[in-house]
Amino acid sequence: MKFDSAATTNPIDRLKVIGQPLDRIDGPLKTTGKAPYAYERHDIVADPAYGHVIGATIAKGRITAMDLSAAERAPGVLAVVTARNAGVLKKGNYNTAHLLGGPDIQHYHQAVALVVAESFEQARAAAHLVRIDYKAEPGRFDLHAAKGSATAPEPSDLTGPIDTHVGDFPRAFAQAAVRLDETYTTPDQSHAMMEPHATLASWEGDSLTVWTSNQMVAWSTGELATTLGIPPEKVRLISPYIGGGFGSKLFLRADVVLAALGARAAGRPVKVALQRPLIANNTTHRPATIQRVRLGAERDGTITAIGHESWSGDLEGGGPETAVGQTRLLYAGANRMTSMRLAVLDLPEGNAMRAPGEAPGLMALEIAMDEMAEKLGIDPVEFRIRNDTQVDPEHPERPFSARPFVQCLRLGAERFGWDRRNARPGQIRDGRWLIGLGMAAGFRNNLLAKSGARVRLDNLGVVTVETDMTDIGTGSYTIIAQTAAEMMGVPMEQVRVVLGDSSFPVSAGSGGQWGAASSTAGVYAACVKLREEVARKLSLNSADAEFVDGEVRVGNRSIRLQAAAAEGDLVAEDRMEYGDITEKMQQSTFAGHFVEVAVDSATGESRIRRMLAVCAAGRILNPKSARSQVIGAMTMGAGAALMEELAVDTRRGFFVNHDLVGYEVPVHADIPHQEVVFLDETDPMSTPLKAKGVGELGICGVGAAVANAIYNATGVRVRDYPITLDKHLDRLPDVA
Amino acid sequence: MRPFTYERATTPAEAAAAAAHTQGARFIAGGTNLLDLMKLQIETPPHLIDVNGLGLDNIEATEDGGLRIGALVSNTNLAADPRVRRDYGLLARALLAGASGQLRNKATTAGNLLQRTRCPYFYDTAQPCNKRQPGSGCAAIGGFTRQLGVIGTSDACIATHPSDMAVALRALDATVETVRADGATRSIPMADFHRLPGDTPHVETALETGELITSVVLPKPLGGRHIYRKVRDRASYAFALVSVGAVLQPDGTGRVALGGVAHKPWRGEAAESEMPRGANAVVGQLLAGARPTRENAFKITLVERTLASILVEAKG
């Protein structure tokens, strides 16, 4: 099915199931510990061998010698896999460095060996017996030092244009009545998902099956075949349950490749989980940025010039953090520029982490907007509203499909009690605490990807949905079941959803907040086909048939749905594809984030007291799981604002705090009550369900809202994330 | 983890003798730190002596009005003891500022004193560390030092002791009671229990080989206001950037000990005589001679401001 014009009324609009705050259908499995995650597939393989990964201990250089003999003789050891004995491995398209390194080392903790043994403990103990000599070479590890060497990266679908210019930015900025020119920095961040990357691999002849934890089944199936040099049809990848990904599991990673190689070497199934201390340096991370924002405005607050430049670093062949993307679309302004520059760094490879681009980009832009509002003497909410645009500012002929941005801000301000904010910072106290309110805009584009599904009706009236879509804790199982239930007119209990298997139709997968809208559209398409099959089987005119309460009704005729499958299951498969609808109109999601913080006037510790997000993301398919997505993202935004930072050792070239002791993410005590409001909205330009993504919108802007609240509390502006106490301690009032 | 042998001791003297018998043997109680270190092969004891069966899990009144805390009393039970809560609020508050409920249930009094530094370079076995591998060098010096020590450091090591409990015990003038392999017992004042790194940062305490902690003794209550402030980037479940434990008397005198700044809980009795003159005077003396790095110099200011805030609270 092709979606190329605005959605009209369809069975989804009945909203009997869609739009209801239903519990997750996979909830009981997860809360009782029965959901089989990759490392726990005891149902598949009774007696797997265990792999333990060895990471390189230099950042750049070469392995000069490797002595495996002691490890190979150790109790229980079945095999030691290295680049030397693994056979020819190619590099996939999505990873920058090789997933099994050697003799060249491209980054710290790049995997260089896998020790396979009868037990996990034996593999771990034997791994310490592998002796590796390295010759280290000097590397480039400091973004600030490398900034001057940064160049314009190659544009791709992921980056968008590297440089943009509209009007005459230099002139307009120079002539603006009020100007802001500030530089902001965001650090490298780690996804820190709860479940480590983990894989169980098993060969049957030359066919490989991997049970793994991966957000994008089709991508990674192809990448695994490419890496191993085997035909894609010989690889089956199964990823039904995922303990968090946040972008870390978008791609094939070392656990999959090493489990496959280990299983081949040991001649039996092998499972591998990346050890937690390896994850920060072995896998991907969100790259650090240096961002310069320039704003020029008339005294009445009209933006006349808006410029945003970003510098980031990556391994040779990697890509930039696209931190300027939102600045092309969020605010009006006749004269505009953006640019991205990329430095070569020999740190581990950067890649997507929840809302890549927008998350760090808004952390900079939305402090700048707060600073500019103060310079202008205009309330920060009003300043943003004054510069709203209903069209793509670079292409005014291109409207937004829906843009209730102003409503998000106005409703948020009202709900939050924004009028109680004192525009003069550092004025409000509660005992020893300094109190501040801050806000920021949230913005994330609505990306859509073609997505397929297969739907089966059996003679008990059970509807089974099969798609390689994944559920990374987001609620995909539930919204897909809701879509099928609504379309086929059956209760939720009559729907079975099976996900994450590469033998199923290819879906959008989970990433870029495209999963919910795209995958349900694919299920919609398959259900439309199944409805036609049912009608044909029952000799009804499908256009007139109503599917409701387990029946198919035409006029005053009513037939049980399962009657259509009396002679055998009915199966329909289709996928949703998109015409140029996204080119004609800009599809985005919007939020207003509001935060109250308390800063200890003596120690400078910042603690969040209240958070509110008002979100506009089209139709909300399930308000309960959507709210969970948003509060989780707000929590991640709070972490970005207050504590998350991979500390770079710029001499030795690695992230030092590479475990969950050193890399702090928020705990319950950091997160107060979070309120989420969804605007009652539909976007018929998005999909037949009129829904858009929400999983990344929730983080976009949160960091800046926290930063702005801290400034409002203290009067000290910090432009270097995370805003830890040492960055404003010297400038806080005397303790008295 | 390297293979190891294991035994359960039944008396403290027997445990100490067993430990002296096998080089590199370690006692294990709660295991909340030691097991992690063994999995990473930062610690590789060939033999473990399980001391959980020794009793030593009572809190008793002493003849001179103090408390004797068994080495195996859990952090949870110690923090919840009514006498501790009433008379040694600093200790209860410090304990509850540390770790998590689950860890405090397992962690013991003696084990808490013996926990090892959380310096990230100590934890990464690929990096040189004089504490982990004597003579290998220190990767932390010149590296990422935000969490690390500012005073009493050496050219060999700038690690800190991570305990909150030990800070309170130092301020309260506790003593550590031990038994040695030959059965002899002794008392070690908290001031002398932990060592500065010097040239031997791997030697962290005054304990001799095989020597087992049997109890910690608190002298009779001090009265006064007991305030423990632990300053950290996140609100819970994080080691201190700095912590300040103070016992303040109505006449303006008091005691103060610091965590997160040194290889041991940091206290200077002479500096405490400055207490009536305020935080600036106290900290000026307490941290005189500090050698912070560029990244952790903020700790000096932070200690002073935190103590100042405590003094304000104590007056209120």
Side-chain angles (χ1 to χ4, degrees):
Chain A
M1 183 178 285
K2 192 161 189 182
F3 187 77
D4 52 10
S5 60
T8 53
T9 302
N10 63 53
I12 294 293
D13 294 313
R14 298 184 293 184
L15 300 183
K16 287 173 180 286
V17 196
I18 286 289
Q20 302 301 317
L22 302 181
D23 290 347
R24 287 165 193 248
I25 60 174
D26 50 329
L29 275 181
K30 289 183 174 171
T31 52
T32 56
K34 289 179 188 156
Y37 288 83
Y39 205 73
E40 299 155 1
R41 291 310 298 259
H42 313 299
D43 54 327
I44 303 290
V45 174
D47 187 25
Y50 292 77
H52 195 269
V53 181
I54 298 176
T57 58
I58 59 167
K60 185 176 167 66
R62 282 176 67 81
I63 295 173
T64 53
M66 239 178 173
D67 181 0
L68 311 180
S69 56
E72 284 169 338
R73 286 195 308 270
V77 170
L78 301 168
V80 182
V81 177
T82 69
R84 231 159 75 192
N85 63 26
V88 178
L89 297 175
K90 298 200 181 87
K91 191 184 76 60
N93 294 313
Y94 293 116
N95 51 299
T96 308
H98 289 280
L99 298 174
L100 176 58
D104 292 335
I105 300 301
Q106 295 165 286
H107 62 85
Y108 199 78
H109 279 176
Q110 183 177 25
V112 293
L114 181 80
V115 177
V116 181
E118 293 284 351
S119 76
F120 170 77
E121 289 76 11
Q122 288 171 328
R124 185 175 60 188
H128 285 270
L129 300 174
V130 172
R131 292 284 158 259
I132 306 174
D133 296 330
Y134 297 95
K135 182 168 185 349
E137 291 165 19
R140 295 148 293 187
F141 308 122
D142 183 347
L143 176 61
H144 291 267
K147 182 181 173 226
S149 68
T151 57
E154 280 298 308
S156 73
D157 289 350
L158 293 171
T159 63
I162 302 306
D163 293 281
T164 66
H165 300 278
V166 175
D168 185 346
F169 173 82
R171 188 187 166 99
F173 181 70
Q175 293 178 351
V178 181
R179 283 193 297 269
L180 176 111
D181 181 353
E182 291 290 355
T183 297
Y184 307 85
T185 60
T186 63
D188 297 288
Q189 293 178 342
S190 187
H191 308 80
M193 66 285 142
M194 196 177 288
E195 183 202 23
H197 302 73
T199 300
L200 168 62
S202 178
W203 291 87
E204 260 183 65
D206 58 355
S207 291
L208 172 65
T209 303
V210 293
W211 293 266
T212 188
S213 183
N214 192 284
Q215 299 172 227
M216 299 295 294
V217 168
W219 284 4
S220 297
T221 306
E223 291 279 278
L224 181 55
T226 300
T227 304
L228 297 176
I230 61 177
E233 58 273 16
K234 295 287 186 188
V235 176
R236 186 166 168 204
L237 188 148
I238 300 173
S239 178
Y241 296 101
I242 296 157
F246 310 119
S248 184
K249 297 171 181 170
L250 284 168
F251 315 110
L252 184 74
R253 296 305 311 171
D255 59 307
V256 193
V257 175
L258 291 174
L261 295 172
R264 186 151 70 188
R268 61 189 266 200
V270 166
K271 63 182 182 181
V272 175
L274 292 186
Q275 302 97 268
R276 182 68 67 181
L278 281 184
I279 289 176
N281 287 285
N282 177 276
T283 70
T284 60
H285 65 276
R286 189 201 299 281
T289 65
I290 300 169
Q291 300 180 51
R292 180 189 189 194
V293 179
R294 283 176 289 173
L295 299 173
E298 307 283 2
R299 296 215 175 273
D300 70 356
T302 304
I303 293 176
T304 53
I306 181 165
H308 193 162
E309 297 153 83
S310 174
W311 291 260
S312 60
D314 204 353
L315 285 172
E316 187 88 54
E321 178 69 19
T322 56
V324 303
Q326 72 289 320
T327 308
R328 299 172 55 209
L329 290 162
L330 185 48
Y331 297 113
N335 303 284
R336 332 175 55 90
M337 66 80 65
T338 64
S339 90
M340 290 180 277
R341 292 294 178 268
L342 178 65
V344 174
L345 293 180
D346 298 299
L347 290 170
E349 64 186 81
N351 214 315
M353 178 167 145
R354 200 173 200 169
E358 279 97 334
L362 285 162
M363 286 166 78
L365 177 65
E366 287 296 290
I367 293 186
M369 288 295 286
D370 200 64
E371 296 198 68
M372 191 63 170
E374 188 179 35
K375 279 186 178 229
L376 290 160
I378 300 175
D379 180 87
V381 172
E382 291 305 319
F383 178 48
R384 288 170 172 87
I385 289 172
R386 201 158 300 179
N387 290 287
D388 184 38
T389 175
Q390 292 294 312
V391 299
D392 174 351
E394 292 179 2
H395 306 282
E397 71 284 2
R398 214 172 145 249
F400 282 88
S401 60
R403 181 169 159 131
F405 177 52
V406 170
Q407 289 92 312
C408 290
L409 298 182
R410 288 228 189 277
L411 183 62
E414 184 194 320
R415 287 277 191 113
F416 200 68
W418 183 250
D419 57 351
R420 294 202 296 273
R421 172 179 176 269
N422 189 328
R424 267 189 69 204
Q427 302 301 306
I428 310 295
R429 268 197 180 245
D430 175 5
R432 72 175 205 252
W433 297 93
L434 302 166
I435 307 301
L437 303 187
M439 60 80 57
F443 176 91
R444 173 77 172 145
N445 285 334
N446 183 50
L447 306 173
L448 292 164
K450 64 186 176 195
S451 193
R454 185 159 58 222
V455 197
R456 173 180 289 108
L457 173 69
D458 70 15
N459 62 6
L460 298 172
V462 173
V463 177
T464 300
V465 185
E466 294 172 334
T467 162
D468 84 358
M469 180 60 190
T470 49
D471 188 324
I472 60 174
T474 42
S476 307
Y477 278 103
T478 310
I479 57 171
I480 284 172
Q482 287 175 274
T483 304
E486 194 78 80
M487 289 300 291
M488 301 310 298
V490 298
M492 285 287 278
E493 299 73 41
Q494 290 286 96
V495 181
R496 242 183 97 235
V497 180
V498 196
L499 299 182
D501 187 324
S502 63
S503 68
F504 295 157
V506 174
S507 74
S510 298
Q513 81 168 13
W514 61 61
S518 301
S519 70
T520 54
V523 174
Y524 172 95
C527 286
V528 167
K529 230 178 200 177
L530 184 61
R531 287 164 60 108
E532 289 166 2
E533 290 294 319
V534 168
R536 187 177 309 131
K537 202 79 184 170
L538 299 177
S539 306
L540 301 169
N541 181 343
S542 66
D544 301 335
E546 198 192 351
F547 288 67
V548 62
D549 294 340
E551 296 179 344
V552 190
R553 295 176 192 161
V554 178
N556 53 13
R557 276 189 68 196
S558 172
I559 306 170
R560 298 294 297 166
L561 178 64
Q562 63 242 50
E567 294 162 18
D569 291 0
L570 291 189
V571 181
E573 181 177 332
D574 200 1
R575 67 177 181 187
M576 186 63 80
E577 294 175 87
Y578 299 87
D580 60 358
I581 193 161
T582 54
E583 282 151 43
K584 283 191 238 155
M585 287 192 184
Q586 175 59 38
Q587 294 187 19
S588 303
T589 62
F590 305 89
H593 286 288
F594 293 81
V595 173
E596 178 178 334
V597 301
V599 179
D600 188 312
S601 59
T603 66
E605 292 161 291
S606 299
R607 305 287 184 242
I608 297 174
R609 290 194 165 184
R610 292 192 291 144
M611 302 181 90
L612 164 69
V614 179
C615 301
R619 174 176 280 153
I620 299 303
L621 300 171
N622 181 327
K624 186 178 266 188
S625 56
R627 178 178 184 277
S628 289
Q629 280 297 291
V630 175
I631 63 172
M634 290 160 78
T635 302
M636 215 163 185
L642 297 178
M643 63 191 82
E644 289 189 43
E645 174 173 19
L646 285 168
V648 183
D649 186 319
T650 55
R651 309 159 307 165
R652 292 165 181 268
F654 73 111
F655 299 128
V656 181
N657 51 341
H658 52 67
D659 59 27
L660 293 179
V661 176
Y663 188 84
E664 291 182 10
V665 296
V667 294
H668 283 94
D670 291 294
I671 302 301
H673 180 69
Q674 297 167 295
E675 196 179 347
V676 180
V677 177
F678 293 109
L679 293 191
D680 187 9
E681 185 206 18
T682 55
D683 189 340
M685 305 309 290
S686 176
T687 80
L689 286 86
K690 303 162 188 162
K692 294 190 282 198
V694 74
E696 298 188 333
L697 177 64
I699 190 175
C700 292
V702 174
V706 175
N708 295 337
I710 291 172
Y711 171 73
N712 184 244
T714 63
V716 181
R717 182 67 76 177
V718 178
R719 301 183 182 88
D720 173 28
Y721 290 98
I723 304 176
T724 47
L725 60 88
D726 44 309
K727 293 174 185 169
H728 57 201
L729 191 65
D730 281 344
R731 291 177 283 167
L732 294 179
D734 289 342
V735 181
Chain B
M1 191 178 278
R2 281 211 196 133
F4 56 88
T5 52
Y6 170 89
E7 73 177 293
R8 287 198 180 99
T10 54
T11 68
E14 179 195 311
H21 182 71
T22 308
Q23 198 179 3
R26 297 294 310 262
F27 302 116
I28 185 162
T32 57
N33 191 205
L34 181 61
L35 289 178
D36 285 350
L37 296 170
M38 287 170 66
K39 289 172 186 173
L40 295 165
Q41 292 205 11
I42 294 165
E43 297 247 20
T44 53
H47 186 63
L48 287 186
I49 301 154
D50 187 331
V51 295
N52 285 297
L54 301 187
L56 303 179
D57 55 355
N58 288 319
I59 304 172
E60 298 161 357
T62 60
E63 281 176 9
D64 53 358
L67 285 180
R68 174 171 284 105
I69 303 157
L72 293 170
V73 172
S74 74
N75 289 178
T76 297
N77 288 343
L78 183 56
D81 185 273
R83 294 162 293 184
V84 172
R85 288 166 58 88
R86 186 187 64 217
D87 297 331
Y88 306 96
L90 187 68
L91 177 57
R93 291 180 184 122
L95 281 162
L96 294 175
S100 66
Q102 295 91 330
L103 286 166
R104 292 194 297 268
N105 287 343
K106 285 300 286 180
T108 62
T109 304
N112 189 317
L113 287 175
L114 296 176
Q115 67 179 302
R116 307 201 65 192
T117 186
R118 307 295 166 149
C119 174
Y121 294 93
F122 172 73
Y123 267 84
D124 188 334
T125 52
Q127 299 299 323
C129 172
N130 290 318
K131 183 183 279 298
R132 178 168 23 79
Q133 199 180 344
S136 62
C138 172
I141 294 173
F144 172 58
T145 58
R146 183 169 177 266
Q147 289 271 356
L148 302 181
V150 296
I151 192 162
T153 55
S154 72
D155 292 341
C157 181
I158 58 171
T160 58
H161 194 268
S163 172
D164 293 294
M165 184 192 79
V167 174
L169 292 180
R170 178 72 183 89
L172 294 168
D173 272 338
T175 53
V176 180
E177 295 185 331
T178 69
V179 59
R180 284 184 278 198
D182 60 5
T185 60
R186 63 167 174 156
S187 288
I188 308 169
M190 268 300 289
D192 303 328
F193 185 78
H194 292 103
R195 296 166 44 115
L196 290 179
D199 295 334
T200 55
H202 60 291
V203 183
E204 293 171 352
T205 69
L207 294 176
E208 295 172 6
T209 302
E211 191 170 6
L212 176 76
I213 298 172
T214 52
S215 55
V216 172
V217 175
L218 293 171
K220 70 177 197 287
L222 289 170
R225 287 284 298 271
H226 289 222
I227 299 174
Y228 190 78
R229 289 268 186 92
K230 183 175 184 178
V231 183
R232 40 189 164 175
D233 294 322
R234 70 177 170 194
S236 177
Y237 201 45
F239 293 98
L241 291 168
V242 306
S243 65
V244 180
V247 179
L248 300 164
Q249 302 299 343
D251 64 0
T253 63
R255 299 178 177 188
V256 59
L258 309 178
V261 297
H263 202 253
K264 60 189 286 186
W266 196 255
R267 185 177 167 201
E269 280 80 348
E272 289 167 3
S273 64
E274 301 287 337
M275 200 68 89
R277 293 179 49 217
N280 182 278
V282 175
V283 176
Q285 214 178 111
L286 187 57
L287 294 183
R291 296 197 312 170
T293 67
R294 194 176 52 79
E295 267 179 0
N296 67 20
F298 73 92
K299 288 191 176 191
I300 311 288
T301 311
L302 185 57
V303 166
E304 185 185 320
R305 295 181 66 94
T306 306
L307 180 60
S309 181
I310 287 174
L311 295 178
V312 170
E313 183 184 336
K315 281 190 205 128

